[in-house]
Amino acid sequence: MYRFLVSLLLIGLSLNAKASSLTIEITQGAEGALPIAVVPFAWRGGGATPPHEVGEIVAADLGRSGRFKPLPTDEMLTQPSRGDEVDFRDWRALNVDNLVIGDVKPNGPGGYLVQFYLYDVFRGEQLTGYSIPTTARDLRATAHHIADIIYEALTGQPGAFATRIAYVTSIRGATGQPEQVALRIADADGYGPQTIVSSKEPIMSPAWSPDGRRIAYVSFENARPSIWVQEVFTGKRERLTSYQGINGAPAWSPDGRYLAMTLSKDGNPDIFVMDVTRRSLRPLTRHRAIDTEPAWSPDGRSLVFTSDRGGGPQIYKVPVNGGKASRVTFEGGYNARASYSPDGRLMGMVTRVDGAYRIATLDPRSRDLRVLSTGRLDESPSFAPNGSMLIYATRVGGKGVLAAVSTDGRVQQRLRLQEGDVREPVWSPYLQNQRSR
Amino acid sequence: MKLKSAGWLLIALASVVFVGCASTGDDSGAAIEDRSGADTTGASAGSAWSGSELEDPNSPLYTKIIYFDFDQSTIRSDFIEVLRAHAAYLISNRSATLMIEGHADERGSREYNIGLGERRANAIRSFLEAEGVPGTQITTISYGEERPAAFGNDEPSWSENRRGVLVYGG
C-alpha cells in the first residue's frame, strides 16, 4: 500500500480566521476502547520546534473517536522515537496493545519530514510506518492523516480525522439589533474555524459538494431566500436560484453534477433537480403536501425526502428520474431530514420520541429504527464520511451546540463554541488529494 | 401502512378551514413587532393611505401578528375579525402592499419548518383573497424557525413563534 499525502486542506482559505474555536469533549466513551500509547514525536532539527506536536494531535484524534484510549504521556516509562529505542516489555507492563512513535525533521525551507511507526506491542512487530513530507501550514493535516492510517490499520475502517465540518453560527444582537449569522468551516477536531459567509439574515442548509471544494447553502440576504454555491478555497460564489417562494434544502448528487432542492415556485414545496452546469431544472415530486429535504442514495439512483402527504412528516423514496414515491418510515409520528450513510446501509434522520426530537438511524431493509441521541431538540444529523459517527445539533442550557454520536450509539461527544448558537453541522467528504491510494 | 394521523394538514392546505376551536383564548397578539427590514409604517407621499389606521391601537388593524396552533396552519377563530379588517383595508387602499411572513416554532427539522411557515403565510393569503383582496397586493415569505420572536425552548415561546406577521408597504 502506498499513499501520497499531498494536502490541500489549508491552502488558500483566504478568509476571516478570527472565529472562536470549538472544543470537543467526550461525554460518553465506549467500553472496551483499545489502549494505545502515542509517544510525543521527537524534533530532530535545530532552532524553533514545529508549530504543532504531531503525537499530541494523533493521540487526541484517536481518543476522540471513542475507539481508543491513549496512555497519558506522564505514565510512559520511556519516550522512544526510533525503532531501536523501543523495549516492548515497558509497554506490555503498561497494558497497551499498540504503540506509535515518530519524529519530525527539517526538510528544506519551510518543510518538514514526519516519520512514524505503529507497533503491535504483544507480538513485538511493526504494523506499518510512513515517511511524510509536509510544511508548517499542513502539519496538523499531516497529523490527522497519520491518525487516519493508524485508525484504519487497527479497526479495518478508514479514519475520518483529516476532514472538516461546516456549520452555522448565530449571535443574537442586543434588543433592536440584528442577529449575526455566519457559515463557518473548521477542522473535524474543531481547530481553526473560519467564516466563509456572514449575514444579518438567516443562512441555512449548508451542503458540501462531493469533492469538498464547494458548499451550497440557502441565504436570505436581500430579504428573500436563494440557493448559493460557493467555492470553499477562493470564496467565489454564485446565486443558483431565487424563485418566488421557498428556495431550500440543496443536496448534491454523488457525481456533483446535480443539485436536488426544494422550490415552491409552483405553489407549494416540491423537490426539483437542477443540472448545475446547464442550470436546467426538472421536477422530481409533485404533490400538494410539503415535500422537502431531499438526499441522494450513494449510487445516485434514488432520493429520499421528507413529506407530510400522509399526515405528519415521514420519509419517502423516489427514483432519480421521477415516478411513484414509496414510504420508507413507518415507526413514529415524525420522521424528517433523512440522509444515507456513505455505504448506503443506514439512513440518519430526526425522529420524535415521546415529544422529544432525536437523532436516529433506520435500516431500511429491516425497518429497524435506533434512537441514538438523548436531547429534546436534536436536529440536522450528518454522517462522517467513514460512516462511524453522526454529527448533529442539540440544545444545552438554552444554547445551540453541536454533538456527535457513533452509529452504534456507544460514543457521545459534545462540541462547544465559546459564543452564540451553533447549528446545522455538516461533515465534509474525504477531501480531494488527501486520500489517494 | 400505519397512517397514524388523518390528513388534516392536507385539508388545511386545500382550503382555509375556519375551525371554531376555542381553547387557546389567550391571545396577546396586539403587539407590533418592529423588525429590521420590515417597513410597517412608511407611507409614501401621495399614496391613498396614511398609515394612521394601522397604528391605531383601537383598530383591529393594529394587530399584525396572527398566531397558529401547534402543527396547524388553519386560521384561528380569534383572528378572523382581525384578518377581515386587514382585507377591507387592502381593498380600499389598492396601493398598499402586504408582505406576509410565515414562521414556525423550533421543533423538528429546519427545512420542514420552512414549509410549515409557508403554509401559514399561504393560509393568511388565501383568507385575504377569499375576502376579495387582489393577489397582486400580497407577497409571502417563510422564515421557518430561523427568526424566532421568543427565545425560550418551551411552549410559551413556541406559541409566540408559530405566527404569521403582516408587514405593510406603501
Side-chain angles (χ1 to χ4, degrees):
Chain A
M1 191 170 59
Y2 180 66
R3 296 178 205 225
F4 286 104
L5 291 158
V6 181
S7 173
L8 291 179
L9 184 67
L10 298 171
I11 293 175
L13 258 165
S14 56
L15 300 152
N16 169 20
K18 277 183 287 182
S20 42
S21 70
L22 280 167
T23 55
I24 300 180
E25 57 182 290
I26 296 177
T27 47
Q28 180 190 308
E31 277 179 40
L34 298 171
I36 190 168
V38 183
V39 179
F41 282 31
W43 167 235
R44 302 211 192 280
T49 54
H52 304 287
E53 206 288 274
V54 174
E56 186 184 332
I57 298 167
V58 171
D61 280 350
L62 294 172
R64 223 175 44 249
S65 75
R67 303 281 296 268
F68 293 93
K69 195 176 159 205
L71 183 75
T73 51
D74 60 7
E75 291 177 26
M76 294 175 183
L77 303 173
T78 55
Q79 298 203 345
S81 59
R82 269 196 265 264
D84 57 15
E85 295 169 356
V86 173
D87 185 339
F88 289 109
R89 288 172 299 185
D90 292 345
W91 304 98
R92 285 179 197 133
L94 292 165
N95 284 316
V96 295
D97 293 353
N98 295 99
L99 170 67
V100 178
I101 64 165
D103 60 19
V104 183
K105 294 186 184 102
N107 188 29
Y112 296 111
L113 188 68
V114 181
Q115 288 189 83
F116 78 95
Y117 304 94
L118 169 66
Y119 297 100
D120 180 319
V121 167
F122 288 90
R123 288 190 195 154
E125 279 176 5
Q126 182 186 323
L127 296 175
T128 189
Y130 287 85
S131 186
I132 304 167
T134 184
T135 61
R137 182 176 211 176
D138 290 341
L139 199 55
R140 288 192 73 90
T142 301
H144 295 311
H145 286 299
I146 291 170
D148 281 343
I149 293 167
I150 294 166
Y151 185 91
E152 181 161 8
L154 298 177
T155 69
Q157 298 171 341
F161 302 115
T163 55
R164 317 186 82 186
I165 48 172
Y167 51 93
V168 175
T169 62
S170 148
I171 298 171
R172 211 184 304 154
T175 311
Q177 294 299 112
E179 174 188 29
Q180 275 295 341
V181 189
L183 176 56
R184 288 181 179 174
I185 296 176
D187 292 354
D189 63 354
Y191 184 84
Q194 293 176 301
T195 296
I196 68 160
V197 60
S198 63
S199 175
K200 291 178 172 56
E201 307 282 337
I203 296 172
M204 293 179 69
S205 304
W208 293 90
S209 66
D211 63 5
R213 303 182 72 84
R214 289 180 290 175
I215 290 186
Y217 57 88
V218 176
S219 169
F220 282 63
E221 59 203 85
N222 307 317
R224 62 184 303 169
S226 300
I227 295 174
W228 294 79
V229 171
Q230 182 163 331
E231 290 179 11
V232 172
F233 297 107
T234 65
K236 207 180 109 196
R237 66 177 197 155
E238 223 179 331
R239 191 167 65 187
L240 230 60
T241 71
S242 192
Y243 292 101
Q244 175 62 41
I246 294 168
N247 296 258
W252 297 88
S253 62
D255 63 7
R257 290 173 59 198
Y258 302 95
L259 265 181
M261 60 184 67
T262 303
L263 302 172
S264 64
K265 63 188 182 68
D266 301 333
N268 77 298
D270 280 308
I271 313 290
F272 290 76
V273 175
M274 177 178 274
D275 180 319
V276 176
T277 312
R278 294 180 185 167
R279 302 293 163 87
S280 55
L281 200 61
R282 68 181 168 85
L284 189 64
T285 70
R286 194 161 282 268
H287 198 283
R288 309 182 67 105
I290 295 171
D291 291 349
T292 188
E293 301 174 336
W296 298 75
S297 64
D299 65 9
R301 287 187 194 159
S302 62
L303 293 96
V304 288
F305 61 99
T306 307
S307 177
D308 60 5
R309 57 186 63 190
Q314 296 291 346
I315 307 302
Y316 292 77
K317 182 178 176 178
V318 64
V320 68
N321 293 317
K324 195 173 153 41
S326 54
R327 188 164 162 178
V328 173
T329 49
F330 294 92
E331 194 175 325
Y334 191 110
N335 292 294
R337 180 78 179 241
S339 61
Y340 279 96
S341 62
D343 65 7
R345 287 187 198 162
L346 293 175
M347 285 175 205
M349 61 185 66
V350 176
T351 193
R352 188 171 62 205
V353 189
D354 300 329
Y357 295 80
R358 294 192 171 142
I359 307 307
T361 56
L362 175 78
D363 180 335
R365 280 170 298 188
S366 67
R367 292 192 183 171
D368 179 32
L369 185 78
R370 290 192 62 177
V371 178
L372 300 178
S373 73
T374 56
R376 298 195 63 75
L377 292 164
D378 300 344
E379 61 181 19
S380 306
S382 169
F383 277 102
N386 67 353
S388 64
M389 300 200 89
L390 283 151
I391 193 168
Y392 63 95
T394 184
R395 292 207 151 259
V396 175
K399 196 175 151 176
V401 301
L402 306 185
V405 60
S406 59
T407 36
D408 62 10
R410 295 197 304 168
V411 181
Q412 309 259 3
Q413 301 172 356
R414 190 171 296 156
L415 295 77
R416 285 183 190 280
L417 189 78
Q418 281 142 357
E419 200 182 357
D421 283 314
V422 197
R423 58 197 188 218
E424 297 209 77
V426 274
W427 213 310
S428 79
Y430 291 122
L431 298 168
Q432 208 178 37
N433 293 331
Q434 292 183 9
R435 251 195 94 79
S436 41
R437 281 157 205 267
Chain B
M1 297 224 310
K2 283 183 279 177
L3 290 178
K4 286 182 105 177
S5 47
W8 45 263
L9 273 174
L10 290 179
I11 294 163
L13 182 68
S15 62
V16 182
V17 182
F18 310 122
V19 185
C21 66
S23 65
T24 57
D26 160 297
D27 118 65
S28 50
I32 287 186
E33 202 193 354
D34 189 20
R35 315 179 66 87
S36 69
D39 182 7
T40 55
T41 55
S44 58
S47 77
W49 62 291
S50 69
S52 60
E53 265 186 281
L54 293 166
E55 302 308 316
D56 177 1
N58 297 316
S59 164
L61 294 172
Y62 193 73
T63 299
K64 296 183 189 69
I65 303 182
I66 311 300
Y67 293 100
F68 290 85
D69 288 338
F70 173 61
D71 241 357
Q72 294 284 353
S73 57
T74 45
I75 305 293
R76 277 168 25 186
S77 56
D78 46 339
F79 286 105
I80 287 174
E81 188 204 341
V82 165
L83 286 177
R84 283 192 177 136
H86 283 285
Y89 179 85
L90 286 161
I91 290 165
S92 55
N93 294 274
R94 286 294 161 92
S95 64
T97 57
L98 180 67
M99 160 84 92
I100 307 169
E101 296 177 4
H103 298 267
D105 71 36
E106 66 180 341
R107 287 172 291 174
S109 72
R110 288 178 177 270
E111 286 283 1
Y112 181 70
N113 283 339
I114 289 282
L116 281 183
E118 182 180 76
R119 196 177 266 170
R120 286 175 180 150
N122 283 340
I124 295 171
R125 170 199 273 277
S126 298
F127 183 99
L128 297 174
E129 288 180 0
E131 293 287 316
V133 179
T136 50
Q137 274 176 275
I138 305 171
T139 53
T140 58
I141 185 169
S142 173
Y143 284 106
E145 64 176 282
E146 305 301 314
R147 285 229 158 146
F151 292 92
N153 306 123
D154 49 17
E155 179 53 29
S157 286
W158 293 335
S159 61
E160 270 190 68
N161 290 335
R162 294 188 298 265
R163 69 203 194 279
V165 180
L166 309 182
V167 182
Y168 277 93

